[in-house]
Amino acid sequence: MKLLLIEDEEKISSYINTALREQGYNVDVCADGREGLFLATEMDYDAIILDVMLPSMDGYAVITSLRKLKQTPVLMLSARGSLDERVKGLRLGADDYLTKPFSLIELVARIQALLRRRPTDGLDISQLQVHNLQLDLLARKVYRNGMRIDLTQKEFALLSLLARHQGEVLSKMMIAEQVWDMNFESDANIVEVAIKRLRAKIDSPFEEKLLHTVRGMGYILEYRDDDPGKMSAYV
């Protein structure tokens, strides 16, 4: 899941960013209200953490403008903890309001709560399934045929990305940008190594294979039948 953090206090921003990344989230960070609004409207985020006191455009102005275009869940942060300030933020469209100083554990828990209750047209975004492979995105657990599979943080991030795009071919560049938040030439082997390790855990012990390499294109997570024409494109 991808989050946007709009916070101009460098120390706080760094702490929040680190805590969220340790939980497996991808985080974009900016320290300016106007830039934050641009990112929030031009890109798709699962949730936004928005400080009130920001240069160029305060958080209240950001949430007001954002709500005219999108309903992305927003957690507002502020050193102003009065009832009037909290009510103002919520009435302008914030989904939650957290007063500084705060616990990072509480912040992460509130983000998880926002993600659990966001509108999904009846779909449970916390649970993904590809054939007999199940992912619990909030508990960060993976099962196949009912068997628990232990993954590292990056392996889980890689698998959840592939699962959210099941049936779609993802290039190495796309995977690197989403999982490692980096850009590099497509012949770099960091993705190949990660795919190999992930495949050893979720596929090798089982007869039916789900993680496939599409030659010259990238990788795809899907259950396939025995159609020879379909299989010929994969290794």
Side-chain angles (χ1 to χ4, degrees):
M1 294 186 180
K2 194 161 189 174
L3 308 178
L4 174 62
L5 170 61
I6 311 174
E7 167 64 67
D8 66 325
E9 294 186 49
E10 186 175 351
K11 187 176 181 180
I12 294 177
S13 178
S14 177
Y15 284 155
I16 295 174
N17 188 19
T18 299
L20 292 174
R21 288 184 178 277
E22 286 177 351
Q23 293 296 313
Y25 297 108
N26 286 320
V27 186
D28 286 346
V29 181
C30 72
D32 179 88
R34 199 170 300 280
E35 178 188 358
L37 177 60
F38 174 80
L39 292 173
T41 55
E42 293 297 317
M43 301 181 67
D44 291 326
Y45 293 97
D46 295 287
I48 297 170
I49 302 166
L50 174 64
D51 188 30
V52 171
M53 298 300 293
L54 293 167
S56 81
M57 188 178 195
D58 70 24
Y60 295 133
V62 171
I63 187 68
T64 299
S65 297
L66 176 64
R67 283 295 175 252
K68 296 175 181 178
L69 300 171
K70 286 188 172 183
Q71 297 302 313
T72 308
V74 173
L75 168 64
M76 294 198 77
L77 303 177
S78 178
R80 301 172 177 175
S82 70
L83 177 61
D84 288 344
E85 292 290 340
R86 296 197 302 271
V87 169
K88 178 179 180 180
L90 295 172
R91 283 180 172 170
L92 289 175
D95 298 273
D96 200 355
Y97 194 105
L98 187 59
T99 303
K100 298 177 181 178
F102 52 81
S103 162
L104 289 176
I105 294 175
E106 181 180 5
L107 182 140
V108 171
R110 286 175 180 255
I111 288 295
Q112 290 173 337
L114 286 183
L115 295 172
R116 280 197 298 269
R117 66 175 184 252
R118 72 174 185 173
T120 57
D121 297 328
L123 297 176
D124 183 359
I125 63 165
S126 69
Q127 304 286 330
L128 294 174
Q129 181 161 346
V130 182
H131 191 46
N132 55 11
L133 176 71
Q134 296 89 31
L135 289 81
D136 186 327
L137 299 182
L138 295 177
R140 302 182 64 76
K141 294 179 180 179
V142 177
Y143 299 89
R144 185 156 185 195
N145 279 345
M147 181 188 304
R148 173 76 180 272
I149 299 174
D150 292 322
L151 301 179
T152 66
Q153 175 184 320
K154 288 301 183 185
E155 288 168 348
F156 185 87
L158 173 58
L159 180 60
S160 61
L161 173 66
L162 291 164
R164 289 198 301 272
H165 295 272
Q166 61 178 290
E168 301 177 27
V169 178
L170 299 183
S171 69
K172 287 187 284 187
M173 181 68 75
M174 293 169 62
I175 292 172
E177 288 177 345
Q178 292 294 315
V179 178
W180 283 271
D181 194 23
M182 61 188 295
N183 297 297
F184 56 81
E185 296 299 325
S186 60
D187 61 352
N189 68 358
I190 185 172
V191 175
E192 295 175 3
V193 172
I195 289 287
K196 182 178 180 180
R197 291 175 178 170
L198 181 61
R199 184 177 278 141
K201 293 184 177 183
I202 69 164
D203 263 352
S204 294
F206 304 94
E207 181 178 357
E208 298 169 321
K209 309 306 177 186
L210 299 178
L211 181 51
H212 312 286
T213 302
V214 183
R215 289 192 294 268
M217 297 179 65
Y219 303 96
I220 185 171
L221 186 71
E222 67 173 358
Y223 171 67
R224 69 188 189 198
D225 54 27
D226 293 328
D227 179 359
K230 185 176 183 181
M231 291 177 64
S232 64
Y234 303 122
V235 292

